[in-house]
Amino acid sequence: MAKYIIEGGRKLEGEIEISGSKNASLPIIAASILNSGVTKLYNVPNIRDTQIMIEILKVLGCKIKKSSGKIVIDSRKIQIHEIPEELMRKMRSSVILAGALLSRCNEAIFSCPGGCDIGARPIDLHLEGFKQIGIYIEENAGKIKCNCQNIIGNEITLDFPSVGATENIMLAAVNAEGKTIIKNAAREPEIIDLQCFLNKMGAKVTGAGESVITIQGVKQLKKDFGYKVMPDRIEAGTILCAAAATNGKVAINNIVPEHISAITYKLEKMGCKIKIEKNKIYIDASKKLKAQDIKTMPYPGFPTDMQSIFTSILSISKGTSIVVENIFENRYRYTSELIRMGAKIKIEGKTAIIKGVRRLYGASVTSTDLRGGASLVVAALSAKGTTEVSNIEYILRGYENLDKKLTKLGAKIKIKEGD
Ligand code: UD1
């Protein structure tokens, strides 16, 4: 596996563009099979997860052309309704294809999803939602077979506002008979992006961004259209934290500031100056960072995907911070690596107690998952000396050209390929 070699202690300065959103691209690529037509997607990040999703679509029968940031998906022919187990295991969000396949072909076969190991991550809410709209589910030896005569609109109340379950039910219900109402739906911006995409395709979806989403089933979808994916709010947050970690001054372009207000609010509380313009944020982190407590929550609360990255900067902030992870269990595995760099972190259940130290020191550390890996990169940028971050394949799942972007801002980071 490849490694990042990072020489820490350089202030990040300058300006960069944020890529398209991973978590918006994945359900949108999956949804591109709904219209039996040709869909052009813009601003899709070229990362491992989008590559896997494209691989799966090809297996199903789609023809796909890729050029920088643009993907053309021809879904006129879908011959296969089964998601290959090997690809499914590589990426949990491939489960989102189940809703799309059911909508398109009345059948979807898949295995229990894989992805980052950050807790149990069950799919019971997805399957319960499917049952409510007339889909039969058979589970046998780790394989899940879903099929239906017709998908029939119904009212579904989610036990928890799961992002994936909300998206999967939205996709399954696009062509349903009648109206589907999802209550206690996830409110993440990526759900709004999916709604915009589906409506551009001719679907009738309202309410995304609020906790009740209504999908009025339609008979026909547009065969040929284009859509530009929203910017990646977690990448934006990561770069802001990298700037904060190095006491730098950075501007990030091509973002929706409102999407990251929970992040910028915390950075301001930590002593950073934030200036917001239309699609741009400036951070000036020249002052010593201050401790801050954080609790992860569904959107618009503080995002779980930023928990590890904030823990890195809290590790070098003055005072003691308490972080509470409310979304995923087992999302603190990276902390043992930060401790190797000199961080003082104690984990008690879903709480991390972080006592700020003056500085971290370069070490050999290993990524345990995508965002845990990113937190090590941020820590390494601030550390004294050289850090080797191994298993960067996890990081490459979700960040496009992270090394190049950080280099543009003045970091010393290079990739060393594995043996
Ligand atoms: C999505 C994001 C991920 C983010 C997460 C929470 C994508 C590709 N990934 O993941 O980056 O961290 O939202 O914002 O968009 N749950 C169940 N049963 C289910 C489904 C979920 O119990 O059927 C639980 C999960 O175990 C977890 C919580 O609900 O504890 C949130 O999961 P969910 O919102 O579904 O996250 P994902 O869609 O997997």
Side-chain angles (χ1 to χ4, degrees):
M1 284 225 183
K3 294 175 177 174
Y4 281 137
I5 312 290
I6 301 167
E7 244 179 64
R10 292 164 172 257
K11 276 188 207 294
L12 295 194
E13 273 170 349
E15 186 161 337
I16 56 156
E17 303 292 316
I18 295 301
S19 297
S21 160
K22 165 177 101 68
N23 287 354
S25 293
L26 294 171
I28 286 176
I29 297 173
S32 298
I33 68 167
L34 291 176
N35 63 345
S36 314
V38 179
T39 305
K40 295 182 196 76
L41 299 179
Y42 303 93
N43 208 29
V44 174
N46 187 17
I47 50 177
R48 295 279 157 96
D49 275 11
T50 54
Q51 287 159 7
I52 294 170
M53 192 58 107
I54 288 167
E55 265 326 292
I56 301 176
L57 255 57
K58 280 187 187 162
V59 172
L60 302 181
C62 295
K63 291 206 170 73
I64 300 188
K65 278 193 210 135
K66 259 174 80 177
S67 55
S68 70
K70 179 180 167 191
I71 303 181
V72 182
I73 301 171
D74 178 346
S75 70
R76 281 174 293 184
K77 279 195 191 127
I78 297 273
Q79 294 113 338
I80 291 176
H81 307 163
E82 176 162 357
I83 306 168
E85 184 171 347
E86 173 213 338
L87 293 172
M88 184 93 203
R89 289 204 181 282
K90 281 193 183 161
M91 188 179 63
R92 177 190 157 81
S93 19
S94 46
V95 74
I96 224 71
L97 266 161
L101 270 171
L102 280 159
S103 206
R104 168 80 190 263
C105 323
N106 287 1
E107 184 179 55
I109 305 164
F110 54 97
S111 47
C112 286
C116 281
D117 182 12
I118 54 169
R121 306 191 89 175
I123 54 162
D124 54 319
L125 300 174
H126 302 234
L127 299 181
E128 187 51 39
F130 286 169
K131 279 186 201 158
Q132 298 295 325
I133 51 176
I135 295 162
Y136 299 97
I137 296 159
E138 233 178 87
E139 278 185 70
N140 197 355
K143 221 171 221 187
I144 300 166
K145 224 173 162 182
C146 303
N147 61 58
C148 56
Q149 290 292 326
N150 293 306
I151 297 179
I152 320 272
N154 199 355
E155 200 174 293
I156 298 163
T157 302
L158 295 176
D159 283 348
F160 181 87
S162 153
V163 174
T166 302
E167 292 168 343
N168 229 339
I169 298 164
M170 282 167 81
L171 297 190
V174 163
N175 296 312
E177 281 175 21
K179 196 191 273 182
T180 302
I181 298 172
I182 311 173
K183 291 189 172 170
N184 198 24
R187 296 164 63 190
E188 269 68 3
E190 292 76 13
I191 308 267
I192 304 180
D193 214 36
L194 182 60
Q195 170 178 290
C196 293
F197 170 83
L198 291 171
N199 287 344
K200 205 158 179 211
M201 196 187 240
K204 282 197 175 146
V205 187
T206 53
E210 301 296 332
S211 45
V212 179
I213 297 177
T214 304
I215 306 117
Q216 177 66 54
V218 294
K219 292 267 163 288
Q220 271 273 301
L221 291 166
K222 222 181 260 170
K223 297 273 175 223
D224 199 348
F225 75 108
Y227 189 78
K228 185 177 175 200
V229 173
M230 65 174 258
D232 197 304
R233 62 193 171 101
I234 305 300
E235 185 197 12
T238 305
I239 299 290
L240 291 177
C241 286
T246 63
N247 298 114
K249 282 186 195 169
V250 166
I252 54 174
N253 284 313
N254 179 33
I255 49 140
V256 182
E258 190 195 322
H259 289 172
I260 55 171
S261 56
I263 297 168
T264 47
Y265 176 74
K266 286 292 172 188
L267 286 168
E268 278 181 321
K269 290 262 210 187
M270 290 173 73
C272 301
K273 274 197 201 135
I274 302 278
K275 199 172 111 200
I276 294 176
E277 283 172 9
K278 204 166 164 263
N279 291 321
K280 190 167 186 167
I281 292 190
Y282 299 87
I283 180 168
D284 174 348
S286 4
K287 282 201 186 142
K288 174 81 187 153
L289 299 174
K290 291 181 285 195
Q292 188 57 218
D293 294 343
I294 283 169
K295 282 191 181 120
T296 65
M297 299 290 274
Y299 191 85
F302 188 89
T304 172
D305 285 348
M306 287 302 299
Q307 177 260 103
S308 56
I309 298 153
F310 261 75
T311 296
S312 278
I313 57 172
L314 293 172
S315 294
I316 47 165
S317 298
K318 192 168 186 302
T320 298
S321 308
I322 309 279
V323 172
V324 181
E325 172 56 59
N326 289 311
I327 308 294
F328 290 108
E329 78 272 27
N330 205 13
R331 212 171 191 183
Y332 284 129
R333 296 202 309 154
Y334 68 92
T335 53
S336 53
E337 303 300 301
L338 279 184
I339 290 168
R340 289 163 65 83
M341 298 177 72
K344 290 217 162 88
I345 305 171
K346 206 170 139 213
I347 306 295
E348 282 176 9
K350 56 184 193 171
T351 303
I353 302 143
I354 304 145
K355 199 163 170 241
V357 295
R358 271 195 59 227
R359 60 160 43 113
L360 298 174
Y361 293 90
S364 287
V365 289
T366 305
S367 307
T368 51
D369 60 83
L370 162 56
R371 306 300 171 188
S375 81
L376 300 178
V377 171
V378 168
L381 292 169
S382 79
K384 187 172 162 59
T386 303
T387 300
E388 274 193 23
V389 182
S390 55
N391 279 6
I392 65 167
E393 277 68 12
Y394 280 122
I395 304 172
L396 301 177
R397 288 183 56 174
Y399 290 90
E400 185 179 50
N401 296 330
L402 184 62
D403 56 327
K404 292 198 181 78
K405 284 177 180 160
L406 291 172
T407 301
K408 187 168 177 235
L409 296 175
K412 267 213 141 180
I413 171 168
K414 59 178 192 225
I415 294 185
K416 188 175 157 201
E417 293 302 335
D419 306 323

